[in-house]
Structure formats: structure tokens, C-alpha cells
Amino acid sequence: MSDLHTLLPRDKHDFERVNDLKNIDQLDLIKLIPELLEWLQDINWPIAIEISKLLLTVPQETIPYIRNVIAGGMISGKNGV
């Protein structure tokens, strides 16, 4: 896919794009982990649970980003989860 970022949810109700993400290649999904983690900032957002389930399909690749957030790091140049 030429621009993976076009697959990212546009808002907290964008279940259509979340469902589309379930069908992309795992290597492409891994490239989107930092941006997907941003959707977990508020677990009450409608798509947050579905995003978390999606990230659980690539746990080894997601864990380093979560560790960085816990350690006070940043994701994508913004304060993270």
C-alpha cells in the first residue's frame, strides 16, 4: 500500500477503518503501531477496545512502544497513551 496512513481512523467512531485494518498485512500493521496507540488515550472512545484487540495481534511489536509510554516517552512526536 502506498500510503498506509490513509487507513488510520479519522475519528473515534471510525469503525469502518478499524475493520479495514484487520485485513492488512501484518508488516503494514506494525508500521502503524505508534499512531494506533494514540487511539487508546481514552479507553472510553468507541474504537479504543477494537484498536486494542488489533494491537494484540502483534504483541511483540507493540510492547516496546507501550514500555516507552510507561517510561514517559512519546509516540509520534506527541505525548502518548
Side-chain angles (χ1 to χ4, degrees):
M1 178 143 303
S2 60
D3 188 10
L4 292 174
H5 290 90
T6 60
L7 296 174
L8 290 169
R10 292 183 181 176
D11 59 57
K12 62 185 178 181
H13 301 283
D14 197 350
F15 284 98
E16 182 177 342
R17 288 184 187 240
V18 174
N19 287 328
D20 290 345
L21 287 169
K22 293 175 184 179
N23 298 315
I24 68 170
D25 183 75
Q26 224 176 29
L27 293 175
D28 288 335
L29 178 62
I30 291 166
K31 294 174 187 175
L32 295 174
I33 291 173
E35 290 85 358
L36 292 172
L37 282 172
E38 292 179 14
W39 290 104
L40 302 184
Q41 291 179 58
D42 186 339
I43 202 65
N44 293 311
W45 286 345
I47 64 170
I49 297 297
E50 291 303 311
I51 295 285
S52 66
K53 290 177 184 177
L54 185 61
L55 291 170
L56 285 173
T57 66
V58 287
Q60 295 304 316
E61 294 79 7
T62 302
I63 289 170
Y65 291 98
I66 293 176
R67 284 188 177 145
N68 187 41
V69 170
I70 292 170
M74 297 170 70
I75 297 178
S76 294
K78 299 178 184 177
N79 284 333
V81 179

